[in-house]
């Protein structure tokens, strides 16, 4: 049973409130913008095209199903975040309720989710960036434009823009969370304005005939698309990683989590409905800029240019927030002795885990530079769905083991809501490919090897 020792929650809270060197500078508006910054990006600007080909006009229903799964999990996240406002997100919550081994595995899972998400979005950002500069007659050398093997029949060496954007945003994160939050807030406002512009202009060009048949591939197509576009909602959980840097976490964290998820769901459904109403869904096959394509078909080219710019800014905020979330998970795991101690060192000048931030930026920037997008995207969804299942179970466990713990926000209808979160997430996981399951299993096996070979003997809890 020693493998499943849990950390003392009261000690964790004391550390967060007293001994933490992280600065409490974030409020509820910052958190909502952070959540929107993490969610609105690749999903709305890229995956909507692939999802439309998979589900047809019923893509709107796919987004609703994915949002419901996220919504149930978000309620569980909100209770945990308000009760245990400590850096590390679900890693910390699992440590407090289900023990070190489970916490290590979910932390290992989060490293995969956040890290590959930043890499994948960096590759998507590179594509939009190169498309934008080509409009000004500028073009990168082909060998520097994509990862090896990304373009069939074309020799490429490295995706230079993907690497550079990771390094630039890493510099922002390492300089300070307040500065990063301000940059994120500016870019979020701009990209939301661009999305609203698309909705306002696109509504006048919708042809209801394009919505027929609504479900050309039946419910199987809807669910397959939901499993795919689930990636579009990844990010609201990154808000909980900011727990130790929030002024009033018991109030502000639930607002940030649920508020950002609700706003993004409405935007996704509206964009998907208008997009498939303008362009017949089959025409989105192989298109990596579906939103701007819809505007081009509607002959609103001037708006399409703004959408391209909004996509670039939108993806930058996703990279920024996901990289932020990963550095805080690494910070928490290092503080517990499961990773090298230097990764939890806080720079006295900037008040950030400076070394850990640059490790994340360099490692996953290089991955983005040399690994194609389709390879990167395979594991992200399954890792996130597994994490959501765990936090839903953990909130029930904590209700039973620590019923007296103050909870500024309580998940309603426990254990029904957590059970529904698990059911929805497991159903979506079954629609992922066999290759994804195998690769995920290999990653978890590697995590066990690292735990028993390195982390367990150095764990503060065991020592």
């Amino acid at each position: 049973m020693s493998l499943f020792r849990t950390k003392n929650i009261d000690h964790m809270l004391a550390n967060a409130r007293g001994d933490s060197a992280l600065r409490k500078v974030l409020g509820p508006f910052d958190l909502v913008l952070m959540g929107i910054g993490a969610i609105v990006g690749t999903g709305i600007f890229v995956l909507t095209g692939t999802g439309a080909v998979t589900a047809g006009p019923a893509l709107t229903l796919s987004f609703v199903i994915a949002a419901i799964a996220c919504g149930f999990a978000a309620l569980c996240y909100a209770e945990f975040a308000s009760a245990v406002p400590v850096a590390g997100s679900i890693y910390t919550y699992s440590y407090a309720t289900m023990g070190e081994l489970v916490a290590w595995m979910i932390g290992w899972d989060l490293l995969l989710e956040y890290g590959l998400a930043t890499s994948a979005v960096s590759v998507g950002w590179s594509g939009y960036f190169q498309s934008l500069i080509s409009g000004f007659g500028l073009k990168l050398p082909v060998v520097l434009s994509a990862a090896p093997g990304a373009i069939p029949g074309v020799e490429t060496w490295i995706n230079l823009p993907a690497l550079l954007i990771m390094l630039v945003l890493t510099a922002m994160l390492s300089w300070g969370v307040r500065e990063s939050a301000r940059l994120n807030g500016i870019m979020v406002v701009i990209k939301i304005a661009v999305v609203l512009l698309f909705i306002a202009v696109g509504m006048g060009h919708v042809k209801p005939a394009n919505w027929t048949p609504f479900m050309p591939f039946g419910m199987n197509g809807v669910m397959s698309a939901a499993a795919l576009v689930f990636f579009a909602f990844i990010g609201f959980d990154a808000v909980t990683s900011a727990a130790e840097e929030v002024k009033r976490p018991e109030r502000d964290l639930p607002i940030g989590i649920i508020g950002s998820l609700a706003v993004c769901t409405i935007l996704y459904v509206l964009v998907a409905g208008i997009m498939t109403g303008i362009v017949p869904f089959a025409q989105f096959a192989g298109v990596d800029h579906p939103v701007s394509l819809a505007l081009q078909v509607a002959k609103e080219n001037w708006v399409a240019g703004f959408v391209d710019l909004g996509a670039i800014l939108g993806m930058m905020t996703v990279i920024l927030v996901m990289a932020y979330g990963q550095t805080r998970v690494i910070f928490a795991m290092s503080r517990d002795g499961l990773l090298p101690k230097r990764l939890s060192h806080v720079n006295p000048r900037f008040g950030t885990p400076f070394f850990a931030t640059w490790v994340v930026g360099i490692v996953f920037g290089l991955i983005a530079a040399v690994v194609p997008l389709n390879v990167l995207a395979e594991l992200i969804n399954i890792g996130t769905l597994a994490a959501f299942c765990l936090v839903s179970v953990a909130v029930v466990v904590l209700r039973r083991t620590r019923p007296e713990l103050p909870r500024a926000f309580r998940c309603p209808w426990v254990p029904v809501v957590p059970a529904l979160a698990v059911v929805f997430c497991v159903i979506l996981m079954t629609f992922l490919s066999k290759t994804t399951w195998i690769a995920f299993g290999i990653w978890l096996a590697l995590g066990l090897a690292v735990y028993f070979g390195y982390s367990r003997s150095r764990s503060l809890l065991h020592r």
Side-chain angles (χ1 to χ4, degrees), residues 416-430:
V416 175
V417 167
L420 288 173
V422 173
V423 168
F424 270 83
C425 289
V426 170
I427 290 174
L428 291 178
M429 290 170 75
T430 62

Side-chain angles (χ1 to χ4, degrees), residues 47 63 66-67 69-70 225-234 381 384-385 388 425 428:
L47 288 181
F63 273 121
C70 288
L228 173 69
V229 300
F230 186 84
F231 176 80
F233 290 98
I234 294 175
N381 279 1
T384 307
L385 288 164
F388 287 1
C425 289
L428 291 178

